[in-house]
Amino acid sequence: MPEGLALFAQALVGFLTPAQLFNVLWATLLGISVGMLPGLTATLGIALMTTLTFKMAAGDAILILICMYVGAIYGGSRSAILLNIPGTPANAATTLDGHPLARSGRAGRAMGLATSGSVLGSVVGILMLATIAPVLADFALAFGAFEFFWLAVFGIVIAGHLTALRDPLKGWIAGFLGLLVAMIGQEGIHAYQRFSFGYLDLAGGVGLLPALIGAFGFAEVLMVMTDPSYQVVRGKVESVIPKLRELFRYWRSIIRSGLIGTLMGLIPGVGEDMGAWASYAAARRASKERDRFGKGSTEGLLAAEAGNNAAVPGAIIPVLTLAVPGSAPAAVLLAAMFIHGVRPGPLIMIEFPSFVYEVVAMVLLATLAILVLGLLLTKPLLLVLRVPRERLMPVIFVLCTIGAFAIASRTFDIWVMLLFGVLGYALRRMDYPMAPLVLGIVLGDILDKSLRRGLVLSDGDPTPFFTRPISLVLWLVTFITVLLSFGAIRRLMTRLLAGKRE
Amino acid sequence: MTPARMAKADFVTAVILIAVGAGALVESWRMPRLEHLSVNPYTVPGIVPGLLSGVLILLGAVLLARAVRQGGWRLDAASLSSAVGGRLVLMLLLTLGYAAGLVGRLPFWAATFLFVFLFVLLFEWRAGRPPAGHLKSAAIALVLAVAVAAGVSALFQHVFLVRLP
């Protein structure tokens, strides 16, 4: 631990140069603006920013991407409060209490609370990132082919379940579709070109970034432009400086939300949206003012915003230690790390021990930036929400097109972006979640290689996949999740448990 | 989306998923087994895509069964055509026309200028609006189109050193 502290201090001091601080400020400000605009998500922001920073030094580029990530997840609270439209999906729970506060003329206070909730939740997440990541990396050294195979299946099933709670079947379809898409192109053991049908471009596989820019950029542009109820902000707001007394009063709720948010971030592919919802639900259950929830509760707003921002460092934990993303934006961050030559995974504490603490310092700087910018630049930031969609969306689409192209200078990547955009739009209209699809594309290669390597190691015997301790836990949880999603089995279990209690 | 329309959409999606899954399964089966290289049979390229195709067919079948139970198989021409609105058609024409048609054929700045100008002009057009309003929209469209075409081209070409399409 003292060694970790020293590495963290060293990393932090390293970032305290005028140039890096300037990068922190503009990237976080851009992130907040992207997050505020309905239709522009953290995933798209990071994906586009990756295409703009891929010629920079690794440390600078990843610092900018993390600032964009933290800023966007926080920025979405502004439109949630002022327009009742979550700026990013992670801020959906914020609308429940944030917008009623704004409607009763307390928009400024709501924005101040959202800022403090986000900052405090993020601080809890950062502490967890600094303590859990090294331990998890150490633990992950015990992962072999069998464990990685189940981790991939576990990630898809759990992410599919939690991101589509009303209809998990659609979450799983999205996830397995992503895995199948990942099979396109040259495979990693015999270099055979799968599903390429003789086309050289397909042999290279479907790039994650063009697919993401399509599914989160073009699809969102289509969603926003076809939405009949898009609004822009009118009117003014009062002071946003929060009262410390109010924050102290709900310290339990804030810490609880920070912990739940981080945990939700840690689970592959689940991320910020569930971080906010789960924290909000837990806060309501534990609250003495339960009836205020949904009508402008301070505690509810703090819980939702602490939960989603804590999920950011939470989602970075598996990125660093297992090379498995905790959420869709974290998937882009993972891809960006690979582009910049950092190899996250179980060996990170051996190969790049200081990198984990550099990331901790980066998230901390981004968090301090949202505190400063969020409280000081309220009025100028509102200008962003006054731009009509007819003028903003064509600019975003031009950036999606050139962004998809810029990574490898391939026209094929523009087609991938377009295909995933149209597909993503159709799937979203039919309530399919996007996060499992992205996770599938990322985890496809791991699943493919791990299953085949595992079978070679066991000479075709599937037993070790089910009996090794970590594998056993992973497949059991996966299996139970699938079983419990069947209505009949869930009802039977509830009846059995109720019978026992009587 | 109403439950009845969702059931119809699910029905169509399920049929497509099963067809894609079946196609991928056949293709996986046809992938080489590499016997002549005497590779370990558990590492042949078709194993994982084959398994994934099987899972996709299974999930598609569950969705199909559910959609049929909810009456989703009763498709009619009206339900199919109402899925695509006028704004969506215009959006697809503009975006696909730009990214898959103009980009690569015209210089990037010219394609971008045309796209942004037409986009703003068409989406801000309202029937029955006084001519002055249309003129203002056209002026804004022109300024924005010039700024985006010049700004994005210069940024990518000279700052990020990307060869434009």
Side-chain angles (χ1 to χ4, degrees), chain B residues 16-34:
Chain B
I16 295 174
L17 281 174
I18 294 172
V20 169
L25 189 64
V26 171
E27 184 61 22
S28 309
W29 184 257
R30 288 174 46 210
M31 282 178 196
R33 314 280 158 82
L34 309 168

Side-chain angles (χ1 to χ4, degrees), chain A residues 3-15 354 358:
Chain A
E3 193 194 350
L5 269 178
L7 283 171
F8 167 71
Q10 206 178 343
L12 192 63
V13 171
F15 288 122
S354 60
E358 279 169 26

